[in-house]
Amino acid sequence: MTDAIEQAQQGDEMAVYQALAQYEQRLSDEWSQHEEGDYWGFHRVFFGPVVEGLETIVDREGWPFLLDVLDAYWPEVTYDFDTYSEHEAFGGAERGDFDEYPHVSHVLATVTGKQLVRTRRADGVAAIPAEALDYLLLFHRHPGDTQPWIDSMSYGWGIGHPDHPFEDYIEMIVDGEYEIWAGTAIEHAIHADQHAATTLLEDLFAADVVSDPAQLLHIVGTIDRGYYPDSSDHWDWETLYPEFHADGFDWDPAVRDRLESVVVDCGLARQLPDNWEFTDIVL
């Protein structure tokens, strides 16, 4: 496996398939041993190198190669979004095992998310394959491993996609009381298009589906503090998120005014100090 990873990092396409297959098998073997295995040890040691190997080829071959890999490791989980308002609220690790999610999902969600950002920045949202957004969406409920769950929130870079109903899915997920995932997805979306993301927030509150306003609106304070969205340790922040500079995030003043109105209109301002700022909104 280590030989395959090294060859993948050097640009050997077939070695990527081999590295992913052997890493998946090793993780599966360790998982089956329960407490006697060293699942998280292998996870921790090889996560970064396998990401680097896969990204090396994806940078060269683009989406066709990555989509082929995603198809090979597509999760078996499905969701009925039409009934999401009837689902139970998010309660932590809802899926404690990996029966419906391949073990290499943490690698694939990370690389897919980073490729989403690069594609949108270089060629616009329409250049993002809808299948990539479909893939990340499947991880919005906790699959037992927090890293693919966290990196799947980069789904927010798909806001405004012409062939994927991004806004409709976010509304359904919020209606199902999964604001914790949707909030960070919208935080990513603000980096992608602050105007469209603000419209989405306005629409969510107008639709009266938000059960906890702070879960969605604290992200504005997070950006004001100069923090990046939550992610695993294998993101190149300075390259992917150049918006932060000496004066902070480059907000459009009109967007800030609209967001302030959302905070007031939803009643959250009544819980904040006088002369409140976005950084006062905390969980």
Side-chain angles (χ1 to χ4, degrees), residues 256-269:
R256 290 187 68 89
D257 290 344
R258 292 167 62 191
L259 290 170
E260 288 176 1
S261 295
V262 172
V263 175
V264 172
D265 293 344
C266 76
L268 183 58

Side-chain angles (χ1 to χ4, degrees), residues 110-125:
T110 298
V111 174
T112 301
K114 295 171 73 174
Q115 186 70 0
L116 247 66
V117 178
R118 296 189 187 98
T119 300
R120 179 159 189 152
R121 289 199 182 282
D123 303 310
V125 65

Side-chain angles (χ1 to χ4, degrees), residues 22-281:
Q22 293 184 348
Y23 186 34
E24 168 74 18
Q25 185 60 56
R26 190 56 184 262
L27 288 174
S28 179
D29 291 345
E30 296 297 328
W31 184 261
S32 66
Q33 297 181 48
H34 304 287
E35 291 82 2
E36 297 178 2
D38 192 18
Y39 182 91
W40 295 109
F42 276 87
H43 191 295
R44 181 178 62 254
V45 171
F46 292 107
F47 184 8
V50 178
V51 164
E52 182 181 342
L54 178 56
E55 275 200 291
T56 298
I57 309 301
V58 171
D59 286 345
R60 187 182 71 208
E61 302 296 331
W63 280 110
F65 179 85
L66 181 54
L67 291 177
D68 183 58
V69 173
L70 296 184
D71 184 63
Y73 293 99
W74 202 270
E76 297 178 4
V77 63
T78 58
Y79 297 110
D80 182 2
F81 287 106
D82 291 336
T83 63
Y84 243 44
S85 60
E86 303 170 11
H87 283 206
E88 73 277 13
F90 181 86
E94 296 180 357
R95 299 179 182 275
D97 57 30
F98 289 87
D99 290 344
E100 297 173 304
Y101 295 88
H103 292 276
V104 294
S105 295
H106 55 302
V107 172
L108 304 185
T110 298
V111 174
T112 301
K114 295 171 73 174
Q115 186 70 0
L116 247 66
V117 178
R118 296 189 187 98
T119 300
R120 179 159 189 152
R121 289 199 182 282
D123 303 310
V125 65
I128 296 172
E131 300 95 320
L133 298 174
D134 293 337
Y135 174 79
L136 292 178
L137 185 66
L138 295 174
F139 291 88
H140 71 276
R141 291 181 68 167
H142 199 297
D145 177 356
T146 59
Q147 288 171 324
W149 178 67
I150 289 173
D151 283 351
S152 71
M153 298 172 188
S154 58
Y155 173 78
W157 284 84
I159 189 169
H161 197 283
D163 302 315
H164 179 90
F166 175 93
E167 291 78 5
D168 291 343
Y169 281 137
I170 289 292
E171 180 175 337
M172 291 177 186
I173 289 171
V174 171
D175 195 20
E177 299 189 31
Y178 289 86
E179 286 104 329
I180 190 171
W181 188 89
T184 301
I186 295 172
E187 183 180 357
H188 280 273
I190 290 174
H191 287 272
D193 185 336
Q194 59 181 286
H195 299 86
T198 300
T199 298
L200 175 57
L201 283 168
E202 293 169 337
D203 291 345
L204 290 172
F205 281 96
D208 196 27
V209 296
V210 180
S211 61
D212 185 355
Q215 281 278 14
L216 294 185
L217 295 173
H218 82 281
I219 61 175
V220 183
T222 300
I223 293 174
D224 260 6
R225 295 186 192 95
Y227 294 148
Y228 298 111
D230 287 340
S231 74
S232 68
D233 295 332
H234 301 288
W235 282 66
D236 182 1
W237 291 117
E238 291 75 13
T239 300
L240 296 175
Y241 290 83
E243 290 89 354
F244 288 123
H245 47 72
D247 297 326
F249 184 76
D250 188 18
W251 288 107
D252 183 327
V255 165
R256 290 187 68 89
D257 290 344
R258 292 167 62 191
L259 290 170
E260 288 176 1
S261 295
V262 172
V263 175
V264 172
D265 293 344
C266 76
L268 183 58
R270 293 194 295 270
Q271 304 174 29
L272 303 176
D274 294 338
N275 301 318
W276 58 270
E277 298 178 354
F278 289 129
T279 51
D280 292 314
I281 305 174

